[in-house]
Amino acid sequence: GASLPLWLSAAVWSIAHGAFEEFRQAQTPGRTGSVSDFGVNVLGVVLFLSLLAWLHARSMNKAQPHEETSPAP
């Protein structure tokens, strides 16, 4: 069957874990769950995946041979 790409699976699990932790904190006496904390968790996932995508694109760009252009006559 079709499966999610690894990066998307990691993002889904990370975001789900953040939501679960906020819910769990809301159920713990003396603690509160926070939508803003959850938002920060999601932002962290997005920033980390963006960094990985940028590093991957950079490494792929370095791996490809560059065509040499001859000067115009």
Side-chain angles (χ1 to χ4, degrees), residues 14-73:
S14 296
I15 291 169
H17 178 72
F20 172 75
E21 283 300 314
E22 290 305 316
F23 174 77
R24 187 182 63 77
Q25 285 181 21
Q27 305 305 314
T28 303
R31 304 283 309 261
T32 58
S34 168
V35 173
S36 62
D37 281 352
F38 174 69
V40 171
N41 291 341
V42 172
L43 180 62
V45 170
V46 169
L47 289 174
F48 182 71
L49 289 176
S50 298
L51 174 65
L52 287 181
W54 178 74
L55 290 172
H56 178 71
R58 188 173 167 207
S59 70
M60 294 301 289
N61 193 23
K62 286 183 178 182
Q64 295 176 356
H66 296 285
E67 293 183 25
E68 292 187 28
T69 56
S70 57

